[in-house]
Amino acid sequence: ELVYTVPEKIKTIYIAPGCVLYSRLLIKTDDVTVCGHGMLVDPYSDYYDTQSIGADNYRMVVRVEGSNITIKDIKMIDTQNWNIYLYDGYNHKISGVKILTARITTDAVAVGSGNVEIENCVFYVSDNVFTYNGDRGFHHIKNCLIGTTCAAFFPQHESRYEIDFTDIYVFRANEGIINN
């Protein structure tokens, strides 16, 4: 399916090395891991494709609404929309993920949830790398290599929780390291 809503009974989505999952993922349940060394590819060819708008789509390749979600070691190539959106829930971890895309509106990781750890990732996107608006818990981002034609970090609201960036290597940020 173009948008795969992960059933409650599924706790691991494994994308094997060399494999391509040609679908968007909507994760509404808790305790799910998306892992492997394969690729997740956006099935929509165009951001303006009217089929890419729907109740379960949201123009995001991975939309997280549950808690305790782990995304590790996968690759996302040439997405047409936002890559990973941690929309809701708590206690998410992203590690070893590589995202490469040249299309606008392709934020690497948008954080609206709480207690998020992102580490050991490579992101090269054509929109902001990290957007964060969650006032629901800490965000720890460390040891990432990033490049963008926009801003590296794009805070959207003030947060009373700690947001720290450690060992972030920015090789390109046309609109600055921090913008908004």
Side-chain angles (χ1 to χ4, degrees):
E1 297 187 20
L2 297 179
V3 178
Y4 179 69
T5 301
V6 179
E8 193 169 318
K9 65 182 179 184
I10 301 293
K11 296 302 177 188
T12 302
I13 296 176
Y14 178 72
I15 306 170
C19 290
V20 175
L21 177 57
Y22 192 63
S23 180
R24 291 184 180 174
L25 296 177
L26 177 56
I27 304 170
K28 294 183 175 183
T29 62
D30 298 338
D31 306 311
V32 174
T33 299
V34 178
C35 62
H37 292 281
M39 283 193 287
L40 181 60
V41 175
D42 187 355
Y44 294 99
S45 62
D46 187 349
Y47 175 80
Y48 299 102
D49 181 350
T50 56
Q51 293 179 4
S52 70
I53 304 169
D56 289 334
N57 192 332
Y58 309 106
R59 288 188 171 157
M60 292 139 201
V61 179
V62 176
R63 181 181 169 105
V64 172
E65 296 181 6
S67 291
N68 304 313
I69 307 302
T70 299
I71 302 170
K72 63 181 182 179
D73 300 327
I74 64 168
K75 296 156 198 72
M76 299 172 74
I77 307 295
D78 290 332
T79 57
Q80 307 302 321
N81 290 271
W82 296 282
N83 286 276
I84 299 172
Y85 186 18
L86 304 175
Y87 176 76
D88 203 0
Y90 293 90
N91 305 323
H92 304 307
K93 183 168 185 173
I94 298 172
S95 67
V97 171
K98 295 174 181 68
I99 297 175
L100 303 169
T101 187
R103 296 289 302 255
I104 197 65
T105 67
T106 56
D107 293 348
V109 182
V111 180
S113 56
N115 302 347
V116 174
E117 293 188 23
I118 302 170
E119 63 183 10
N120 304 322
C121 295
V122 176
F123 302 123
Y124 186 50
V125 296
S126 293
D127 209 329
N128 304 302
V129 177
F130 299 110
T131 62
Y132 43 98
N133 60 12
D135 191 25
R136 303 175 65 195
F138 68 79
H139 303 161
H140 296 167
I141 295 106
K142 61 184 177 183
N143 195 31
C144 292
L145 174 66
I146 62 176
T148 176
T149 58
C150 292
F153 310 113
F154 195 83
Q156 295 177 322
H157 300 285
E158 183 178 322
S159 177
R160 60 192 162 148
Y161 297 96
E162 66 184 58
I163 299 173
D164 64 45
F165 300 96
T166 307
D167 295 328
I168 303 298
Y169 304 95
V170 180
F171 62 88
R172 179 179 182 180
N174 291 24
E175 294 180 1
I177 302 295
I178 300 174
N179 188 12
N180 185 4

